[in-house]
Amino acid sequence: MVDAVRSAGAPIPGAGDIFQILRDGTARTKAELAALTGLARSTVSSRVDALLAAGLLAPAGEAASTGGRPPARIAFNPRAGVILAVDLGATHATVAIADLSGEILASRTHPQDIAAGPVPVLESVIAEGAAMLADSGIGEEVLAGVGIGVPGPVEHSTGRPTNPPIMPGWDRFDIPAFVRRRFDVPVLVDNDVNILALGEQAVSWPHVADLIFVKVSTGIGSGIISGGTLQRGAQGSAGDLGHVQVPFSHDSPRPAGDERDLEAIASGTAIAAALRADGVDAPDGAAVVDLIRAGHTAAIDAARQAGREVGEVLATVVNLLNPSIIVVGGSVARAGEHLLAGVREIVYRRSIPLATQHLAIVQSRAGATAGVLGAAIMVIQQILAPAAVDARAGRGAVRVLAGQ
């Protein structure tokens, strides 16, 4: 057989490259893999055998025979390991266990004050994760990685929060090193909106390569997926929508000299402050959500205007990045369609027609586990990358979940 890959002058696919073909869950024979890669069957066979020994692939029955013994199929084994996924919010923590396909196997949410500081918060979620592994009958030796989302800016390359406004005591704290004292596996950390973007895409828009997730809650931020890849920027600050100064509009009730950023104008906290200035009892963003759901006219109008202000910033983003989908989430967005209506009103009016021709602006659909799902996906993308799989396949047989 002619080796198509080598004749093209490209690197010869290793075990990790062959594994990527099988991550779609479709069972294939070694002969089918040889045809797809252009490799000799003996080369494919040795690499598949290494992946089987590593537990990343598993037998998947037999294909139809064309004469003689039916060929065996192999498929991705998502139970070759598990991920501990953590979504930390300002006042809550969700801890979950996911397999290597991203399926959530168990999840728990409990109150947690992020302002308590990194040591008590991380000790709490580590203990929760260890208990969940034990309760699920999953040995810690099967743990393949830990993913953590936090509500503040993160230098992704180090996993350290950087000047997080609502996380006192967390600045430059080495989260990965602290967690690895208990779980000696890869530990990845990102801001909460980035992991929400990954989770939302996986649940609701798996075939969309250009998506922006916008969270409007206590603060405002966005996660950008462009060309199928989460964009973090040079230092990890990409998507910091909340600190963009809002362009002045003659339609806005704001004065012409207002130079506040988007978070100071349109977040749940900002809406509450504006309502209080008008004599409405709205101590915080949660109260705003309650008022909107109760049909309070001033709160609904304020949410609609906040949506317009978000739209003023997003219109520029749409012209610049040309996404297919803008997903709006967070507590204020979940209170109803009012904020979303304001966003649509401005984006469709201010962005160029080509950019909005097929643009959908929708409410988040992924639900309460979107954050932990995104945290799991973040880890999976790293540990199942071709080079990482090559390394695992080279180590030989490993433990997998019972029954696999």
Side-chain angles (χ1 to χ4, degrees):
M1 175 183 291
V2 177
D3 190 327
V5 174
R6 277 176 287 179
S7 66
I12 299 172
D17 297 297
I18 290 173
F19 175 72
Q20 304 308 310
I21 298 172
L22 291 159
R23 281 186 65 185
D24 64 2
T26 300
R28 295 178 174 88
T29 66
K30 292 178 180 179
E32 289 171 334
L33 291 170
L36 287 168
T37 61
L39 294 173
R41 291 194 186 190
S42 60
T43 303
V44 169
S45 182
S46 66
R47 289 172 185 172
V48 165
D49 288 345
L51 291 167
L52 286 165
L56 290 168
L57 300 182
E62 295 178 336
S65 174
T66 56
R69 183 177 179 179
R73 283 195 177 108
I74 62 275
F76 171 39
N77 175 21
R79 300 300 176 90
V82 295
I83 308 298
L84 185 63
V86 180
D87 176 23
L88 294 175
T91 59
H92 81 279
T94 300
V95 182
I97 300 170
D99 69 14
L100 295 185
S101 71
E103 180 183 352
I104 302 297
L105 306 178
S107 177
R108 297 177 185 170
T109 299
H110 61 269
Q112 180 74 67
D113 183 6
I114 198 72
V119 172
V121 170
L122 293 174
E123 285 181 342
S124 173
V125 297
I126 287 169
E128 183 84 58
M132 290 176 67
L133 289 168
D135 292 346
S136 301
I138 299 172
E140 290 186 17
E141 67 275 11
V142 185
L143 184 65
V146 178
I148 301 174
V150 300
V154 175
E155 185 181 57
H156 182 66
S157 61
T158 65
R160 296 172 184 258
T162 303
N163 296 317
I166 64 168
M167 300 172 64
W170 289 78
D171 184 38
R172 305 304 300 169
F173 186 84
D174 192 344
I175 297 175
F178 187 89
V179 175
R180 281 196 297 266
R181 289 165 47 186
R182 178 62 176 81
F183 300 120
D184 187 19
V185 294
V187 179
L188 300 182
V189 184
D190 209 338
N191 72 71
D192 57 347
V193 188
N194 278 347
I195 66 169
L196 283 168
L198 289 172
E200 188 73 39
Q201 182 195 38
V203 171
S204 306
W205 310 98
H207 304 298
V208 173
D210 296 278
L211 175 149
I212 296 175
F213 182 91
V214 180
K215 180 182 179 182
V216 183
S217 190
T218 303
I220 297 177
S222 70
I224 301 167
I225 296 175
S226 182
T229 302
L230 179 66
Q231 303 298 320
R232 295 187 173 92
Q235 305 301 326
S237 68
D240 191 0
L241 200 71
H243 292 106
V244 175
Q245 184 177 327
V246 182
F248 174 72
S249 168
H250 292 288
D251 300 329
S252 173
R254 294 183 293 115
D258 191 343
E259 295 184 348
R260 289 178 298 165
D261 62 25
L262 183 60
E263 194 166 286
I265 294 170
S267 66
T269 304
I271 296 171
L275 288 172
R276 288 197 304 274
D278 288 336
V280 178
D281 182 16
D284 52 26
V288 171
V289 171
D290 291 340
L291 288 168
I292 293 170
R293 288 177 172 162
H296 191 283
T297 302
I300 289 172
D301 290 345
R304 177 76 178 242
Q305 183 57 39
R308 294 188 185 103
E309 306 291 6
V310 173
E312 292 286 355
V313 174
L314 278 178
T316 301
V317 174
V318 167
N319 287 342
L320 186 65
L321 298 179
N322 189 201
S324 299
I325 303 285
I326 295 176
V327 181
V328 184
S331 59
V332 179
R334 290 195 299 270
E337 288 280 321
H338 314 291
L339 182 125
L340 195 64
V343 173
R344 288 174 177 151
E345 177 185 333
I346 299 301
V347 169
Y348 288 130
R349 186 198 310 171
R350 302 234 191 273
S351 300
I352 62 174
L354 182 60
T356 58
Q357 183 177 6
H358 300 295
L359 173 67
I361 303 174
V362 301
Q363 200 164 39
S364 173
R365 304 174 184 174
T369 58
V372 286
L373 174 57
I377 291 170
M378 171 176 64
V379 178
I380 291 166
Q381 289 177 343
Q382 175 167 304
I383 67 173
L384 295 187
V389 171
D390 283 340
R392 175 164 174 166
R395 291 196 295 268
V398 297
R399 281 283 306 275
V400 298
L401 296 190
Q404 301 305 310

